[in-house]
Amino acid sequence: MDKKRVVILGSTGSIGTSALKVARDLPNRMEVVALAAANSVDSLIEQTQEFQVKHVGIYNKDKSLALQSALPDVSIVTGEEGLCALAQLPEADMVLISIIGTAGLKPALAAIEAGKDLAIASKEILVMAGDIIMTAAKKAGVNILPVDSEHNAIFQCLEGQHVKNKEISRLILTASGGPFRTWNAQDLHSVTLEQALKHPTWSMGQKITIDSATMFNKGLEMIEARWLFDIPMDRVDVVVHPQSIVHSMVEFIDGSILAQMSNSDMCFPIQYAITYPDRVENSLKPLDFGSLGSLSFESPKHEMFPALRLARKAGTIGGTMPAVYNAANEIAVEAFVQGEIRFTDIADIVEKTMSQHQQQDTQGNLDIVIEADQWARIEAANQINRLG
Ligand code: MG
Protein backbone atom coordinates (compact mmCIF):
# COMPACT_ATOMS: atom_id res chain seq x y z
CA MET A 1 0.00 0.00 0.00
CA ASP A 2 1.64 3.23 -1.18
CA LYS A 3 -0.73 5.73 0.32
CA LYS A 4 -0.77 5.98 4.10
CA ARG A 5 -4.01 6.99 5.73
CA VAL A 6 -2.93 9.02 8.73
CA VAL A 7 -4.58 10.24 11.91
CA ILE A 8 -2.84 13.34 13.28
CA LEU A 9 -3.32 13.87 17.01
CA GLY A 10 -1.98 17.34 17.71
CA SER A 11 -2.42 18.82 14.23
CA THR A 12 -2.25 22.51 15.10
CA GLY A 13 1.16 22.52 16.81
CA SER A 14 4.54 22.82 15.16
CA ILE A 15 4.90 19.10 14.28
CA GLY A 16 1.26 18.80 13.22
CA THR A 17 1.47 21.71 10.80
CA SER A 18 4.71 20.30 9.35
CA ALA A 19 2.97 16.94 8.88
CA LEU A 20 0.23 18.71 6.93
CA LYS A 21 2.92 20.33 4.76
CA VAL A 22 4.13 16.81 3.96
CA ALA A 23 0.54 15.78 3.15
CA ARG A 24 0.23 18.76 0.77
CA ASP A 25 3.57 17.91 -0.81
CA LEU A 26 2.86 14.18 -1.25
CA PRO A 27 -0.87 13.79 -1.98
CA ASN A 28 -0.26 10.37 -3.54
CA ARG A 29 1.50 9.06 -0.44
CA MET A 30 -0.38 10.58 2.46
CA GLU A 31 -4.07 11.00 3.15
CA VAL A 32 -5.22 12.68 6.35
CA VAL A 33 -8.22 10.79 7.77
CA ALA A 34 -8.54 12.47 11.16
CA LEU A 35 -7.26 15.53 12.98
CA ALA A 36 -7.25 16.49 16.64
CA ALA A 37 -6.08 19.43 18.73
CA ALA A 38 -6.30 20.48 22.35
CA ASN A 39 -7.89 23.93 22.00
CA SER A 40 -7.15 25.63 18.69
CA VAL A 41 -10.61 25.57 17.14
CA ASP A 42 -9.95 28.06 14.33
CA SER A 43 -6.93 26.31 12.86
CA LEU A 44 -8.63 22.95 13.31
CA ILE A 45 -11.62 24.14 11.27
CA GLU A 46 -9.34 25.46 8.53
CA GLN A 47 -7.34 22.20 8.41
CA THR A 48 -10.49 20.07 8.38
CA GLN A 49 -11.89 21.99 5.43
CA GLU A 50 -8.65 21.97 3.47
CA PHE A 51 -8.06 18.22 3.83
CA GLN A 52 -11.78 17.32 3.78
CA VAL A 53 -11.42 15.29 6.92
CA LYS A 54 -14.49 13.47 8.27
CA HIS A 55 -13.31 12.80 11.84
CA VAL A 56 -12.08 15.51 14.19
CA GLY A 57 -11.18 15.51 17.85
CA ILE A 58 -10.95 18.37 20.33
CA TYR A 59 -9.44 17.57 23.72
CA ASN A 60 -11.13 20.46 25.49
CA LYS A 61 -14.82 19.48 25.67
CA ASP A 62 -15.92 23.12 26.06
CA LYS A 63 -14.80 23.85 22.52
CA SER A 64 -16.79 21.11 20.82
CA LEU A 65 -19.92 23.18 20.22
CA ALA A 66 -18.04 25.87 18.31
CA LEU A 67 -16.35 23.16 16.27
CA GLN A 68 -19.56 21.28 15.50
CA SER A 69 -21.43 24.37 14.36
CA ALA A 70 -18.62 25.28 11.96
CA LEU A 71 -18.32 21.68 10.70
CA PRO A 72 -21.87 20.30 10.70
CA ASP A 73 -21.03 17.26 8.53
CA VAL A 74 -17.99 16.16 10.47
CA SER A 75 -18.00 13.68 13.32
CA ILE A 76 -16.56 15.39 16.41
CA VAL A 77 -15.14 13.59 19.44
CA THR A 78 -13.79 15.08 22.66
CA GLY A 79 -11.46 14.36 25.55
CA GLU A 80 -9.06 11.47 25.99
CA GLU A 81 -11.71 8.88 25.00
CA GLY A 82 -12.25 10.82 21.79
CA LEU A 83 -8.55 10.80 20.92
CA CYS A 84 -8.42 7.05 21.66
CA ALA A 85 -11.37 6.49 19.31
CA LEU A 86 -9.62 8.41 16.52
CA ALA A 87 -6.47 6.35 17.13
CA GLN A 88 -8.50 3.23 16.37
CA LEU A 89 -10.39 4.45 13.26
CA PRO A 90 -10.82 1.47 10.93
CA GLU A 91 -9.78 3.53 7.87
CA ALA A 92 -6.42 4.58 9.39
CA ASP A 93 -3.05 2.90 8.77
CA MET A 94 -0.98 5.12 11.00
CA VAL A 95 -1.38 7.47 13.94
CA LEU A 96 0.95 10.43 14.35
CA ILE A 97 1.07 11.57 17.95
CA SER A 98 2.29 15.11 18.37
CA ILE A 99 0.30 16.19 21.42
CA ILE A 100 2.28 17.98 24.11
CA GLY A 101 2.34 16.36 27.52
CA THR A 102 0.87 13.13 28.81
CA ALA A 103 -2.39 13.31 26.84
CA GLY A 104 -0.87 11.19 24.07
CA LEU A 105 -0.14 8.16 26.26
CA LYS A 106 -3.50 6.38 26.17
CA PRO A 107 -4.19 7.18 22.49
CA ALA A 108 -0.75 5.69 21.68
CA LEU A 109 -1.65 2.43 23.40
CA ALA A 110 -5.10 2.47 21.77
CA ALA A 111 -3.49 2.79 18.33
CA ILE A 112 -1.15 -0.11 19.00
CA GLU A 113 -4.03 -2.27 20.23
CA ALA A 114 -5.90 -1.56 17.00
CA GLY A 115 -2.84 -2.63 14.99
CA LYS A 116 -1.93 0.83 13.70
CA ASP A 117 1.63 1.91 13.05
CA LEU A 118 2.63 4.70 15.38
CA ALA A 119 4.63 7.79 14.42
CA ILE A 120 5.75 9.34 17.69
CA ALA A 121 6.67 12.99 18.10
CA SER A 122 5.58 13.45 21.72
CA LYS A 123 8.57 12.80 23.96
CA GLU A 124 6.52 11.94 27.04
CA ILE A 125 5.23 8.72 25.51
CA LEU A 126 8.57 6.94 25.36
CA VAL A 127 10.15 8.72 28.31
CA MET A 128 7.34 7.79 30.67
CA ALA A 129 6.20 4.50 29.23
CA GLY A 130 8.96 3.31 26.91
CA ASP A 131 8.92 -0.27 28.13
CA ILE A 132 5.10 -0.48 28.06
CA ILE A 133 4.82 0.99 24.55
CA MET A 134 7.67 -1.02 23.00
CA THR A 135 6.43 -4.28 24.54
CA ALA A 136 2.88 -3.64 23.33
CA ALA A 137 4.10 -2.71 19.83
CA LYS A 138 6.17 -5.86 19.57
CA LYS A 139 3.25 -7.98 20.68
CA ALA A 140 0.89 -6.31 18.20
CA GLY A 141 3.45 -6.41 15.39
CA VAL A 142 3.19 -2.69 14.63
CA ASN A 143 5.97 -0.28 13.69
CA ILE A 144 7.05 2.53 15.97
CA LEU A 145 8.38 5.30 13.74
CA PRO A 146 10.24 8.09 15.49
CA VAL A 147 9.53 11.59 14.22
CA ASP A 148 11.98 13.48 16.42
CA SER A 149 14.84 14.40 14.08
CA GLU A 150 17.48 12.65 16.24
CA HIS A 151 15.65 9.35 16.60
CA ASN A 152 14.53 9.42 13.01
CA ALA A 153 18.21 9.84 12.05
CA ILE A 154 19.25 6.84 14.15
CA PHE A 155 16.34 4.85 12.75
CA GLN A 156 17.57 5.65 9.24
CA CYS A 157 21.17 4.75 10.12
CA LEU A 158 20.02 1.36 11.40
CA GLU A 159 17.55 0.67 8.61
CA GLY A 160 18.65 -1.95 6.13
CA GLN A 161 21.90 -2.60 7.98
CA HIS A 162 20.88 -5.99 9.40
CA VAL A 163 22.32 -4.66 12.61
CA LYS A 164 22.41 -6.85 15.65
CA ASN A 165 21.98 -4.92 18.86
CA LYS A 166 25.37 -6.07 20.18
CA GLU A 167 27.09 -4.58 17.11
CA ILE A 168 26.08 -1.05 18.13
CA SER A 169 28.63 0.53 20.41
CA ARG A 170 26.97 3.95 20.78
CA LEU A 171 23.99 5.97 19.71
CA ILE A 172 25.28 9.53 19.36
CA LEU A 173 22.55 12.14 19.63
CA THR A 174 23.45 15.55 18.28
CA ALA A 175 22.40 18.67 20.18
CA SER A 176 22.44 22.23 18.87
CA GLY A 177 23.59 23.32 22.33
CA GLY A 178 20.82 25.91 22.51
CA PRO A 179 21.22 29.68 22.84
CA PHE A 180 23.60 29.48 25.86
CA ARG A 181 26.20 27.13 24.41
CA THR A 182 28.93 29.77 24.48
CA TRP A 183 27.92 31.44 27.77
CA ASN A 184 29.77 30.99 31.03
CA ALA A 185 28.20 29.27 34.01
CA GLN A 186 27.82 32.44 36.10
CA ASP A 187 25.70 34.27 33.52
CA LEU A 188 23.25 31.36 33.24
CA HIS A 189 21.63 32.33 36.57
CA SER A 190 20.31 35.58 35.12
CA VAL A 191 18.89 34.20 31.87
CA THR A 192 15.56 35.83 30.97
CA LEU A 193 12.56 34.09 29.44
CA GLU A 194 13.06 36.06 26.24
CA GLN A 195 16.67 34.85 25.96
CA ALA A 196 15.66 31.24 26.60
CA LEU A 197 13.06 31.42 23.86
CA LYS A 198 15.58 32.30 21.14
CA HIS A 199 16.65 29.02 19.61
CA PRO A 200 19.52 29.26 17.12
CA THR A 201 18.44 26.62 14.57
CA TRP A 202 14.95 25.18 15.18
CA SER A 203 11.61 26.95 15.41
CA MET A 204 9.46 25.07 17.95
CA GLY A 205 6.87 25.48 20.71
CA GLN A 206 7.68 27.33 23.96
CA LYS A 207 8.19 24.33 26.29
CA ILE A 208 10.54 22.49 23.94
CA THR A 209 12.49 25.68 23.19
CA ILE A 210 13.21 26.18 26.89
CA ASP A 211 14.03 22.47 27.16
CA SER A 212 16.59 22.99 24.40
CA ALA A 213 18.13 25.89 26.32
CA THR A 214 18.49 23.80 29.50
CA MET A 215 19.32 20.65 27.46
CA PHE A 216 16.47 18.79 29.18
CA ASN A 217 15.20 18.22 25.66
CA LYS A 218 18.33 16.21 24.92
CA GLY A 219 18.01 14.42 28.24
CA LEU A 220 14.48 13.32 27.35
CA GLU A 221 15.77 12.21 23.96
CA MET A 222 18.49 10.10 25.60
CA ILE A 223 15.81 8.18 27.50
CA GLU A 224 13.63 7.88 24.38
CA ALA A 225 16.58 6.48 22.41
CA ARG A 226 17.26 3.93 25.11
CA TRP A 227 13.75 2.49 24.65
CA LEU A 228 13.28 2.93 20.92
CA PHE A 229 16.45 1.08 20.02
CA ASP A 230 16.74 -1.15 23.09
CA ILE A 231 20.20 0.15 23.95
CA PRO A 232 21.39 0.48 27.56
CA MET A 233 21.69 4.01 28.87
CA ASP A 234 25.50 3.92 29.07
CA ARG A 235 25.66 3.45 25.30
CA VAL A 236 23.61 6.60 24.58
CA ASP A 237 25.82 9.64 24.10
CA VAL A 238 25.39 13.32 23.23
CA VAL A 239 27.61 15.57 21.13
CA VAL A 240 27.00 19.27 20.56
CA HIS A 241 26.71 20.19 16.89
CA PRO A 242 25.58 23.82 16.54
CA GLN A 243 24.61 23.70 12.84
CA SER A 244 21.92 20.98 13.32
CA ILE A 245 22.79 19.35 9.99
CA VAL A 246 23.93 15.94 11.28
CA HIS A 247 20.75 14.84 13.06
CA SER A 248 22.35 11.95 14.95
CA MET A 249 24.77 9.05 14.44
CA VAL A 250 25.31 5.39 15.19
CA GLU A 251 28.73 4.04 16.08
CA PHE A 252 29.33 0.33 15.54
CA ILE A 253 31.75 -1.90 17.42
CA ASP A 254 34.18 -1.86 14.49
CA GLY A 255 34.52 1.92 14.92
CA SER A 256 32.50 2.89 11.84
CA ILE A 257 29.98 5.64 12.30
CA LEU A 258 26.90 6.32 10.17
CA ALA A 259 25.29 9.75 10.27
CA GLN A 260 22.10 11.13 8.75
CA MET A 261 22.09 14.67 7.39
CA SER A 262 19.65 17.16 5.93
CA ASN A 263 18.68 20.79 6.36
CA SER A 264 16.94 21.38 9.67
CA ASP A 265 13.33 21.08 8.58
CA MET A 266 11.00 18.73 10.46
CA CYS A 267 9.34 17.77 7.17
CA PHE A 268 12.32 15.47 6.47
CA PRO A 269 11.85 13.13 9.45
CA ILE A 270 8.05 13.34 9.27
CA GLN A 271 8.09 12.34 5.62
CA TYR A 272 10.36 9.36 6.24
CA ALA A 273 8.07 8.17 9.02
CA ILE A 274 5.10 8.42 6.66
CA THR A 275 6.64 6.87 3.52
CA TYR A 276 8.78 4.29 5.36
CA PRO A 277 10.22 2.02 4.09
CA ASP A 278 10.15 3.95 0.79
CA ARG A 279 12.04 7.07 -0.13
CA VAL A 280 10.02 9.59 -2.09
CA GLU A 281 10.97 12.77 -3.97
CA ASN A 282 9.70 15.99 -2.47
CA SER A 283 9.93 19.75 -2.79
CA LEU A 284 12.18 20.25 0.26
CA LYS A 285 15.40 22.18 -0.06
CA PRO A 286 18.36 19.84 -0.52
CA LEU A 287 21.56 20.30 1.44
CA ASP A 288 24.21 22.45 -0.24
CA PHE A 289 27.59 21.63 1.25
CA GLY A 290 29.27 24.48 -0.58
CA SER A 291 27.19 27.19 1.08
CA LEU A 292 27.24 25.32 4.39
CA GLY A 293 30.97 25.75 4.80
CA SER A 294 31.85 23.77 7.90
CA LEU A 295 30.26 21.51 10.47
CA SER A 296 31.57 21.56 14.01
CA PHE A 297 31.29 19.32 17.06
CA GLU A 298 32.08 19.75 20.74
CA SER A 299 31.49 17.98 24.04
CA PRO A 300 28.51 19.12 26.08
CA LYS A 301 29.33 21.24 29.14
CA HIS A 302 27.98 18.95 31.82
CA GLU A 303 28.62 21.29 34.74
CA MET A 304 26.45 23.97 33.06
CA PHE A 305 23.76 21.61 31.84
CA PRO A 306 23.00 19.00 34.56
CA ALA A 307 20.00 17.82 32.51
CA LEU A 308 22.14 15.25 30.67
CA ARG A 309 23.61 13.71 33.82
CA LEU A 310 20.15 13.59 35.44
CA ALA A 311 18.68 11.92 32.34
CA ARG A 312 21.37 9.27 32.39
CA LYS A 313 20.62 8.69 36.05
CA ALA A 314 16.85 8.50 35.50
CA GLY A 315 17.22 6.20 32.51
CA THR A 316 19.66 3.92 34.32
CA ILE A 317 17.44 3.63 37.40
CA GLY A 318 14.45 3.10 35.11
CA GLY A 319 10.96 2.20 36.35
CA THR A 320 9.07 5.33 37.30
CA MET A 321 12.18 7.59 37.55
CA PRO A 322 12.09 8.83 33.91
CA ALA A 323 8.46 9.89 34.42
CA VAL A 324 9.55 11.84 37.51
CA TYR A 325 12.41 13.47 35.56
CA ASN A 326 9.91 14.54 32.91
CA ALA A 327 7.14 15.77 35.20
CA ALA A 328 9.44 17.70 37.56
CA ASN A 329 10.99 19.43 34.57
CA GLU A 330 7.57 20.40 33.22
CA ILE A 331 6.60 22.00 36.54
CA ALA A 332 9.98 23.74 36.86
CA VAL A 333 9.81 25.13 33.31
CA GLU A 334 6.32 26.45 34.00
CA ALA A 335 7.61 28.17 37.16
CA PHE A 336 10.48 29.70 35.17
CA VAL A 337 8.03 30.95 32.52
CA GLN A 338 5.95 32.53 35.33
CA GLY A 339 9.04 34.25 36.68
CA GLU A 340 8.96 32.28 39.96
CA ILE A 341 12.39 30.65 39.67
CA ARG A 342 15.71 31.27 37.95
CA PHE A 343 16.80 29.45 34.81
CA THR A 344 19.39 27.42 36.72
CA ASP A 345 16.81 26.43 39.35
CA ILE A 346 15.08 24.22 36.78
CA ALA A 347 17.71 21.46 36.99
CA ASP A 348 17.95 21.85 40.79
CA ILE A 349 14.22 21.28 41.17
CA VAL A 350 14.38 18.18 39.00
CA GLU A 351 17.36 16.79 40.90
CA LYS A 352 15.72 17.38 44.28
CA THR A 353 12.46 15.83 43.13
CA MET A 354 14.26 12.76 41.78
CA SER A 355 16.17 12.34 45.03
CA GLN A 356 12.86 12.26 46.97
CA HIS A 357 11.36 9.60 44.70
CA GLN A 358 11.07 5.93 45.65
CA GLN A 359 11.55 4.26 42.30
CA GLN A 360 8.92 1.69 41.39
CA ASP A 361 8.83 -0.96 38.70
CA THR A 362 6.14 -0.02 36.14
CA GLN A 363 5.05 -3.68 35.79
CA GLY A 364 3.65 -2.82 32.37
CA ASN A 365 0.99 -0.74 34.11
CA LEU A 366 0.32 2.77 32.81
CA ASP A 367 -1.47 3.74 36.04
CA ILE A 368 1.73 3.28 38.05
CA VAL A 369 3.52 5.61 35.65
CA ILE A 370 0.76 8.20 35.78
CA GLU A 371 0.73 8.04 39.59
CA ALA A 372 4.49 8.74 39.66
CA ASP A 373 3.92 11.61 37.24
CA GLN A 374 1.30 13.13 39.55
CA TRP A 375 3.49 12.63 42.61
CA ALA A 376 6.42 14.36 40.89
CA ARG A 377 4.31 17.37 39.95
CA ILE A 378 3.30 17.91 43.58
CA GLU A 379 6.81 17.27 44.90
CA ALA A 380 8.36 19.65 42.34
CA ALA A 381 5.83 22.35 43.30
CA ASN A 382 6.79 21.84 46.97
CA GLN A 383 10.46 22.19 46.08
CA ILE A 384 9.69 25.42 44.22
CA ASN A 385 7.83 26.80 47.25
CA ARG A 386 10.79 25.92 49.46
CA LEU A 387 13.02 28.09 47.24
CA GLY A 388 10.78 31.00 48.23
MG1 MG B 1 14.88 16.61 18.73
Side-chain angles (χ1 to χ4, degrees):
M1 192 181 350
D2 281 349
K3 193 187 231 175
K4 294 265 170 66
R5 295 165 302 176
V6 184
V7 172
I8 305 178
L9 302 182
S11 63
T12 57
S14 134
I15 297 290
T17 49
S18 293
L20 292 176
K21 264 192 221 163
V22 173
R24 256 177 232 121
D25 199 16
L26 308 176
N28 298 324
R29 301 292 310 214
M30 178 175 176
E31 181 187 342
V32 183
V33 295
L35 295 167
N39 282 301
S40 312
V41 172
D42 292 343
S43 355
L44 198 51
I45 292 169
E46 231 170 79
Q47 293 176 345
T48 305
Q49 286 165 341
E50 182 189 345
F51 291 91
Q52 306 195 346
V53 173
K54 306 242 168 10
H55 301 272
V56 172
I58 185 96
Y59 190 77
N60 183 346
K61 293 184 169 78
D62 298 342
K63 306 271 174 119
S64 69
L65 226 56
L67 199 58
Q68 189 73 76
S69 61
L71 304 167
D73 302 325
V74 172
S75 127
I76 312 265
V77 293
T78 61
E80 191 172 66
E81 323 83 68
L83 300 192
C84 288
L86 293 183
Q88 298 192 319
L89 272 186
E91 57 261 53
D93 304 310
M94 173 185 277
V95 180
L96 166 63
I97 304 201
S98 49
I99 314 170
I100 305 174
T102 55
L105 270 173
K106 286 190 175 155
L109 275 178
I112 293 172
E113 269 166 33
K116 316 290 185 193
D117 284 346
L118 208 55
I120 299 189
S122 313
K123 299 208 153 63
E124 291 81 4
I125 294 175
L126 287 167
V127 169
M128 292 176 66
D131 58 342
I132 298 174
I133 294 285
M134 295 312 285
T135 307
K138 208 171 188 182
K139 204 170 139 201
V142 304
N143 291 310
I144 302 285
L145 300 142
V147 165
D148 215 346
S149 60
E150 294 79 1
H151 305 90
N152 192 273
I154 292 170
F155 185 79
Q156 293 194 41
C157 291
L158 293 174
E159 194 53 39
Q161 302 294 321
H162 308 288
V163 177
K164 297 177 204 75
N165 192 298
K166 61 174 188 205
E167 293 173 352
I168 300 168
S169 62
R170 273 191 306 161
L171 304 180
I172 306 169
L173 299 172
T174 52
S176 71
F180 310 126
R181 180 175 62 87
T182 55
W183 286 39
N184 60 50
Q186 268 319 345
D187 297 338
L188 269 193
H189 294 305
S190 57
V191 160
T192 65
L193 177 60
E194 199 192 1
Q195 289 167 326
L197 286 176
K198 271 198 195 120
H199 195 273
T201 49
W202 293 100
S203 143
M204 309 170 288
Q206 175 169 286
K207 160 78 167 45
I208 185 171
T209 304
I210 292 174
D211 282 349
S212 296
T214 56
M215 295 196 82
F216 267 93
N217 182 55
K218 209 51 55 181
L220 294 166
E221 289 178 355
M222 289 169 72
I223 301 170
E224 275 186 284
R226 181 257 171 278
W227 287 114
L228 266 172
F229 305 107
D230 192 22
I231 291 291
M233 211 60 218
D234 61 353
R235 284 197 271 153
V236 180
D237 241 335
V238 173
V239 66
V240 173
H241 167 47
Q243 297 83 11
S244 300
I245 295 295
V246 174
H247 298 302
S248 276
M249 302 175 258
V250 176
E251 182 189 70
F252 298 92
I253 49 174
D254 60 1
S256 277
I257 294 177
L258 293 187
Q260 185 265 343
M261 291 181 246
S262 71
N263 283 318
S264 41
D265 181 333
M266 284 308 292
C267 289
F268 286 101
I270 292 169
Q271 171 176 329
Y272 190 68
I274 302 288
T275 66
Y276 168 84
D278 297 339
R279 294 204 179 263
V280 179
E281 266 185 90
N282 57 32
S283 63
L284 299 173
K285 201 167 145 252
L287 197 53
D288 173 7
F289 282 100
S291 65
L292 202 60
S294 61
L295 298 179
S296 61
F297 300 90
E298 57 197 65
S299 298
K301 293 176 181 157
H302 287 281
E303 67 291 354
M304 278 174 70
F305 302 103
L308 302 178
R309 167 177 61 79
L310 294 173
R312 190 176 297 288
K313 189 172 177 188
T316 305
I317 293 170
T320 47
M321 198 57 94
V324 169
Y325 174 87
N326 172 66
N329 176 53
E330 238 180 88
I331 296 299
V333 168
E334 188 51 38
F336 170 68
V337 170
Q338 299 300 329
E340 291 165 17
I341 61 173
R342 294 181 304 176
F343 182 78
T344 43
D345 291 333
I346 297 174
D348 282 349
I349 296 295
V350 174
E351 182 155 28
K352 283 180 180 146
T353 306
M354 281 172 64
S355 70
Q356 291 301 316
H357 184 60
Q358 288 286 351
Q359 187 275 133
Q360 243 188 305
D361 193 347
T362 66
Q363 300 162 42
N365 185 344
L366 207 53
D367 292 336
I368 292 180
V369 176
I370 291 169
E371 224 170 82
D373 170 90
Q374 300 296 332
W375 173 88
R377 283 165 200 276
I378 294 165
E379 178 62 29
N382 288 341
Q383 297 289 350
I384 289 164
N385 286 334
R386 240 164 265 161
L387 281 180

mmCIF file with all atom_site columns, all heavy atoms in Angstrom, residues 123 148-150 217-218 221, ligand 1:
data_model
loop_
_atom_site.group_PDB
_atom_site.id
_atom_site.type_symbol
_atom_site.label_atom_id
_atom_site.label_alt_id
_atom_site.label_comp_id
_atom_site.label_asym_id
_atom_site.label_entity_id
_atom_site.label_seq_id
_atom_site.pdbx_PDB_ins_code
_atom_site.Cartn_x
_atom_site.Cartn_y
_atom_site.Cartn_z
_atom_site.occupancy
_atom_site.B_iso_or_equiv
_atom_site.pdbx_formal_charge
_atom_site.auth_seq_id
_atom_site.auth_comp_id
_atom_site.auth_asym_id
_atom_site.auth_atom_id
_atom_site.pdbx_PDB_model_num
ATOM   1  N  N   . LYS A 1 123 ? 7.491  13.425 23.187 1.00 0.00 ? 123 LYS A N   1
ATOM   2  C  CA  . LYS A 1 123 ? 8.565  12.800 23.964 1.00 0.00 ? 123 LYS A CA  1
ATOM   3  C  C   . LYS A 1 123 ? 8.056  12.006 25.147 1.00 0.00 ? 123 LYS A C   1
ATOM   4  O  O   . LYS A 1 123 ? 8.588  10.963 25.496 1.00 0.00 ? 123 LYS A O   1
ATOM   5  C  CB  . LYS A 1 123 ? 9.511  13.873 24.483 1.00 0.00 ? 123 LYS A CB  1
ATOM   6  C  CG  . LYS A 1 123 ? 10.168 14.639 23.364 1.00 0.00 ? 123 LYS A CG  1
ATOM   7  C  CD  . LYS A 1 123 ? 11.512 15.182 23.766 1.00 0.00 ? 123 LYS A CD  1
ATOM   8  C  CE  . LYS A 1 123 ? 12.388 15.333 22.559 1.00 0.00 ? 123 LYS A CE  1
ATOM   9  N  NZ  . LYS A 1 123 ? 11.900 16.273 21.573 1.00 0.00 ? 123 LYS A NZ  1
ATOM   10 N  N   . ASP A 1 148 ? 10.945 12.563 15.931 1.00 0.00 ? 148 ASP A N   1
ATOM   11 C  CA  . ASP A 1 148 ? 11.977 13.477 16.422 1.00 0.00 ? 148 ASP A CA  1
ATOM   12 C  C   . ASP A 1 148 ? 13.180 13.341 15.480 1.00 0.00 ? 148 ASP A C   1
ATOM   13 O  O   . ASP A 1 148 ? 13.534 12.229 15.079 1.00 0.00 ? 148 ASP A O   1
ATOM   14 C  CB  . ASP A 1 148 ? 12.363 13.045 17.837 1.00 0.00 ? 148 ASP A CB  1
ATOM   15 C  CG  . ASP A 1 148 ? 12.695 14.240 18.712 1.00 0.00 ? 148 ASP A CG  1
ATOM   16 O  OD1 . ASP A 1 148 ? 12.883 15.337 18.168 1.00 0.00 ? 148 ASP A OD1 1
ATOM   17 O  OD2 . ASP A 1 148 ? 12.775 14.056 19.936 1.00 0.00 ? 148 ASP A OD2 1
ATOM   18 N  N   . SER A 1 149 ? 13.798 14.455 15.111 1.00 0.00 ? 149 SER A N   1
ATOM   19 C  CA  . SER A 1 149 ? 14.843 14.398 14.075 1.00 0.00 ? 149 SER A CA  1
ATOM   20 C  C   . SER A 1 149 ? 15.995 13.473 14.482 1.00 0.00 ? 149 SER A C   1
ATOM   21 O  O   . SER A 1 149 ? 16.528 12.736 13.647 1.00 0.00 ? 149 SER A O   1
ATOM   22 C  CB  . SER A 1 149 ? 15.363 15.806 13.784 1.00 0.00 ? 149 SER A CB  1
ATOM   23 O  OG  . SER A 1 149 ? 15.916 16.383 14.941 1.00 0.00 ? 149 SER A OG  1
ATOM   24 N  N   . GLU A 1 150 ? 16.357 13.473 15.774 1.00 0.00 ? 150 GLU A N   1
ATOM   25 C  CA  . GLU A 1 150 ? 17.483 12.655 16.237 1.00 0.00 ? 150 GLU A CA  1
ATOM   26 C  C   . GLU A 1 150 ? 17.178 11.168 16.116 1.00 0.00 ? 150 GLU A C   1
ATOM   27 O  O   . GLU A 1 150 ? 17.993 10.390 15.624 1.00 0.00 ? 150 GLU A O   1
ATOM   28 C  CB  . GLU A 1 150 ? 17.810 12.972 17.703 1.00 0.00 ? 150 GLU A CB  1
ATOM   29 C  CG  . GLU A 1 150 ? 18.344 14.378 17.939 1.00 0.00 ? 150 GLU A CG  1
ATOM   30 C  CD  . GLU A 1 150 ? 17.263 15.445 17.954 1.00 0.00 ? 150 GLU A CD  1
ATOM   31 O  OE1 . GLU A 1 150 ? 16.073 15.098 17.798 1.00 0.00 ? 150 GLU A OE1 1
ATOM   32 O  OE2 . GLU A 1 150 ? 17.602 16.631 18.101 1.00 0.00 ? 150 GLU A OE2 1
ATOM   33 N  N   . ASN A 1 217 ? 15.703 18.849 26.883 1.00 0.00 ? 217 ASN A N   1
ATOM   34 C  CA  . ASN A 1 217 ? 15.196 18.225 25.665 1.00 0.00 ? 217 ASN A CA  1
ATOM   35 C  C   . ASN A 1 217 ? 16.097 17.057 25.251 1.00 0.00 ? 217 ASN A C   1
ATOM   36 O  O   . ASN A 1 217 ? 15.625 15.966 24.928 1.00 0.00 ? 217 ASN A O   1
ATOM   37 C  CB  . ASN A 1 217 ? 15.120 19.270 24.553 1.00 0.00 ? 217 ASN A CB  1
ATOM   38 C  CG  . ASN A 1 217 ? 14.553 18.708 23.270 1.00 0.00 ? 217 ASN A CG  1
ATOM   39 O  OD1 . ASN A 1 217 ? 13.468 18.148 23.257 1.00 0.00 ? 217 ASN A OD1 1
ATOM   40 N  ND2 . ASN A 1 217 ? 15.300 18.820 22.182 1.00 0.00 ? 217 ASN A ND2 1
ATOM   41 N  N   . LYS A 1 218 ? 17.391 17.280 25.308 1.00 0.00 ? 218 LYS A N   1
ATOM   42 C  CA  . LYS A 1 218 ? 18.329 16.214 24.921 1.00 0.00 ? 218 LYS A CA  1
ATOM   43 C  C   . LYS A 1 218 ? 18.301 15.079 25.940 1.00 0.00 ? 218 LYS A C   1
ATOM   44 O  O   . LYS A 1 218 ? 18.437 13.909 25.587 1.00 0.00 ? 218 LYS A O   1
ATOM   45 C  CB  . LYS A 1 218 ? 19.742 16.802 24.775 1.00 0.00 ? 218 LYS A CB  1
ATOM   46 C  CG  . LYS A 1 218 ? 20.638 16.099 23.793 1.00 0.00 ? 218 LYS A CG  1
ATOM   47 C  CD  . LYS A 1 218 ? 20.017 15.899 22.417 1.00 0.00 ? 218 LYS A CD  1
ATOM   48 C  CE  . LYS A 1 218 ? 19.518 17.197 21.804 1.00 0.00 ? 218 LYS A CE  1
ATOM   49 N  NZ  . LYS A 1 218 ? 18.890 16.985 20.478 1.00 0.00 ? 218 LYS A NZ  1
ATOM   50 N  N   . GLU A 1 221 ? 15.467 12.987 25.168 1.00 0.00 ? 221 GLU A N   1
ATOM   51 C  CA  . GLU A 1 221 ? 15.769 12.212 23.957 1.00 0.00 ? 221 GLU A CA  1
ATOM   52 C  C   . GLU A 1 221 ? 16.710 11.039 24.252 1.00 0.00 ? 221 GLU A C   1
ATOM   53 O  O   . GLU A 1 221 ? 16.636 9.994  23.603 1.00 0.00 ? 221 GLU A O   1
ATOM   54 C  CB  . GLU A 1 221 ? 16.367 13.137 22.893 1.00 0.00 ? 221 GLU A CB  1
ATOM   55 C  CG  . GLU A 1 221 ? 15.318 14.098 22.327 1.00 0.00 ? 221 GLU A CG  1
ATOM   56 C  CD  . GLU A 1 221 ? 15.890 15.069 21.301 1.00 0.00 ? 221 GLU A CD  1
ATOM   57 O  OE1 . GLU A 1 221 ? 17.116 15.072 21.080 1.00 0.00 ? 221 GLU A OE1 1
ATOM   58 O  OE2 . GLU A 1 221 ? 15.094 15.834 20.730 1.00 0.00 ? 221 GLU A OE2 1
HETATM 59 MG MG  . MG  B 2 .   ? 14.876 16.609 18.726 1.00 0.00 ? 1   MG  B MG  1
#
